[in-house]
Amino acid sequence: MGESGDPVDRLIASWQRELPEVLYPTSELAKRIMVLAAELNEATRRVLRDLGLTTAEFDVIVSLRRSGAPYRQKPSDLSRSLLLSSGGTSNVTNQLVRRELVVREPDPEDGRGTQIRLTDEGRALAERAVQASSAAHHELWAGIPDETLKQAGAALRELFRP
């Protein structure tokens, strides 16, 4: 692993020279995952900026769209699935209600509760946003053979097995 044009190789080589005891067999993998996550997040942020969405708004409308018709969830279920506080979910929901992308409705199973439902406009925007985000992520790997991508996916899946 010399001084290549690869920034992770350069970083690892620097630590190997300067403080090799901080390196573990997982060091390169961890850094590559962090670099990749940053690239994916930036690609998503660019797409969302173009669509006028924050990442929190995107997460909420895509979660509602993914839930299937009638595209609604209880606020507590939405918070749990997105790992947001109830206050955070409420703030994002308020923004989306103002933009007429979601509505609050009485919960048909609990007269005291409410559910958050995508409007037709919200559903259409969620679909455009997830399509654009997926395309932007796909572009990051343009030119990499499908077999290499499958192998990388399989290797990462193996790391997350319980």
Side-chain angles (χ1 to χ4, degrees):
M1 178 175 17
E3 292 290 321
S4 72
D6 183 304
V8 174
D9 284 350
R10 287 194 307 271
L11 178 109
I12 298 295
S14 295
W15 283 121
Q16 188 64 48
R17 259 192 331 271
E18 297 299 322
L19 201 58
E21 61 270 20
V22 303
L23 296 175
Y24 293 90
T26 57
S27 296
E28 180 182 358
L29 177 61
K31 190 59 180 175
R32 290 193 183 283
I33 289 171
M34 291 188 305
V35 168
L36 179 58
E39 289 180 9
L40 289 167
N41 285 335
E42 182 51 35
T44 298
R45 276 195 290 277
R46 274 193 310 271
V47 165
L48 297 183
R49 258 192 313 271
D50 292 346
L51 293 170
L53 288 168
T54 67
T55 54
E57 290 170 335
F58 171 75
D59 289 344
V60 168
I61 66 173
V62 168
S63 180
L64 291 168
R65 175 58 184 91
R66 188 175 53 238
S67 70
Y71 313 115
R72 68 178 178 210
Q73 291 182 2
K74 294 178 181 183
S76 59
D77 293 341
L78 195 53
S79 295
R80 201 171 16 265
S81 73
L82 298 175
L83 305 176
L84 287 173
S85 68
S86 60
T89 301
S90 183
N91 289 339
V92 175
T93 300
N94 289 340
Q95 294 167 2
L96 294 169
V97 167
R98 279 192 293 277
R99 295 180 61 189
E100 300 181 352
L101 298 174
V102 302
V103 292
R104 284 189 176 92
E105 299 179 324
D107 186 333
E109 298 171 10
D110 176 1
R112 298 170 298 155
T114 61
Q115 290 195 349
I116 302 164
R117 181 182 54 81
L118 278 176
T119 62
D120 289 344
E121 183 182 347
R123 184 183 51 75
L125 182 57
E127 291 172 4
R128 279 197 319 275
V130 82
Q131 288 166 350
S133 177
S134 292
H137 294 171
H138 179 71
E139 287 175 25
L140 287 176
W141 291 294
I144 297 176
D146 287 348
E147 188 56 34
T148 301
L149 296 170
K150 287 177 188 174
Q151 289 171 356
L156 288 171
R157 183 179 304 108
E158 192 66 29
L159 292 176
F160 291 100
R161 284 204 174 150

